[in-house]
Amino acid sequence: LLIDAIGDKPVASLTRDDTIHVRELVKRLPKNLGKQAALKGLKVPDAIEQAEALGLPTISAQTINAGYIVHIHATFAWAAKEQWAPRNQFYDLEVYDAQEDEERRSPFQPEQLAAIFATDTWTSLDRNDDTAATFWLPLLGLYQGARLSELAGLRVMDVEEIDESTWALLIQPHALRRLKNKSSRRSIPVHPTILSLGFADFVKARKKQADAEGKPEALLFPGILMK
């Protein structure tokens, strides 16, 4: 994209006009550029002109900012840090995005949640280690307000019994799972509804199994692929 837009230039020679040109070009990129048969093999400026002639839709402001600008900015910030360039010319190039993040995430409606949790996964009493993650993770996601990776990455030692009626999930980094940022590290009280469904008994059984195997750092939901 950069070479097609401004040529194969030394990093230190880039100007603010160069970077603004890149931003304006990105704003015109068609959706699924690499998958459009009509654009295959074309340089980016030519592909954009062809896409505009065909009336193809362009990428969203979110994709411009999070899919292109943020990564280009990070690359040239590193170049400036390493003194390959006097400064990062790709600063403050984000485009205005009129859509709030909350508007992109359409929440489930109560009737949809009722339909989901009325399926056999949650109505059947036949639960074992193989189905534990399928049963508990959606419920934890619904009630605990945590990311899937945070919940799937819980170890048995990350669930603490405070007293008879109070349990907490410790969201903390470990060898199998990092956190998104520092503020992600926290302690979350387990919701009473989760406890009423037998979560404490499940955790105690997993702790007993982990202790017997000499693996106190075992995952609460073994077999879940972590990234």
Side-chain angles (χ1 to χ4, degrees):
L1 169 67
L2 295 175
I3 291 174
D4 282 358
I6 56 179
D8 191 3
K9 297 183 177 182
V11 175
S13 72
L14 293 180
T15 66
R16 185 63 171 172
D17 286 341
D18 288 330
T19 60
I20 291 175
H21 176 66
V22 171
R23 192 265 307 276
E24 295 306 304
L25 203 65
V26 170
K27 288 166 62 176
R28 297 166 58 200
L29 285 175
K31 290 183 178 180
N32 301 314
L33 173 61
K35 299 179 181 179
Q36 299 282 359
L39 310 179
K40 187 175 181 180
L42 297 177
K43 290 185 177 296
V44 172
D46 297 331
I48 289 174
E49 289 188 8
Q50 177 73 353
E52 291 175 343
L54 295 172
L56 300 179
T58 57
I59 60 177
S60 66
Q62 182 190 28
T63 301
I64 293 170
N65 291 333
Y68 286 88
I69 301 300
V70 69
H71 299 298
I72 297 173
H73 177 276
T75 299
F76 285 89
W78 177 83
K81 180 181 177 182
E82 296 298 316
Q83 300 183 4
W84 288 11
R87 64 180 303 182
N88 177 11
Q89 296 285 7
F90 283 91
Y91 67 90
D92 197 24
L93 286 182
E94 293 81 5
V95 301
Y96 173 68
D97 189 351
Q99 189 176 29
E100 298 289 343
D101 286 344
E102 291 76 9
E103 296 174 355
R104 295 190 183 92
R105 302 184 180 96
S106 179
F108 286 109
Q109 298 302 310
E111 59 271 17
Q112 293 174 318
L113 290 172
I116 291 171
F117 289 103
T119 57
D120 289 345
T121 297
W122 292 278
T123 58
S124 173
L125 297 178
D126 183 20
R127 296 200 295 273
N128 52 51
D129 289 346
D130 293 333
T131 60
T134 304
F135 178 84
W136 287 114
L137 285 176
L139 288 169
L140 289 170
L142 177 64
Y143 284 96
Q144 301 299 154
R147 297 181 180 90
L148 175 60
S149 60
E150 293 175 338
L151 297 170
L154 287 170
R155 301 166 298 180
V156 292
M157 63 190 296
D158 292 330
V159 187
E160 286 191 338
E161 183 178 10
I162 309 302
D163 55 46
E164 291 185 0
S165 60
T166 306
W167 288 70
L169 306 179
L170 304 180
I171 308 298
Q172 53 189 345
H174 54 75
L176 297 177
R177 191 255 283 117
R178 295 179 296 175
L179 297 182
K180 186 174 182 180
N181 48 52
K182 290 182 179 180
S183 62
S184 297
R185 185 168 187 154
R186 61 203 188 279
S187 176
I188 309 174
V190 178
H191 195 281
T193 300
I194 298 295
L195 293 177
S196 71
L197 294 172
F199 184 67
D201 291 335
F202 164 70
V203 172
K204 289 177 181 178
R206 284 290 297 126
K207 285 180 178 288
K208 183 176 181 180
Q209 180 183 358
D211 289 342
E213 295 174 351
K215 299 178 180 178
E217 296 187 357
L219 290 173
L220 186 63
F221 303 106
I224 297 294
L225 178 64
M226 299 301 305
K227 291 186 178 180

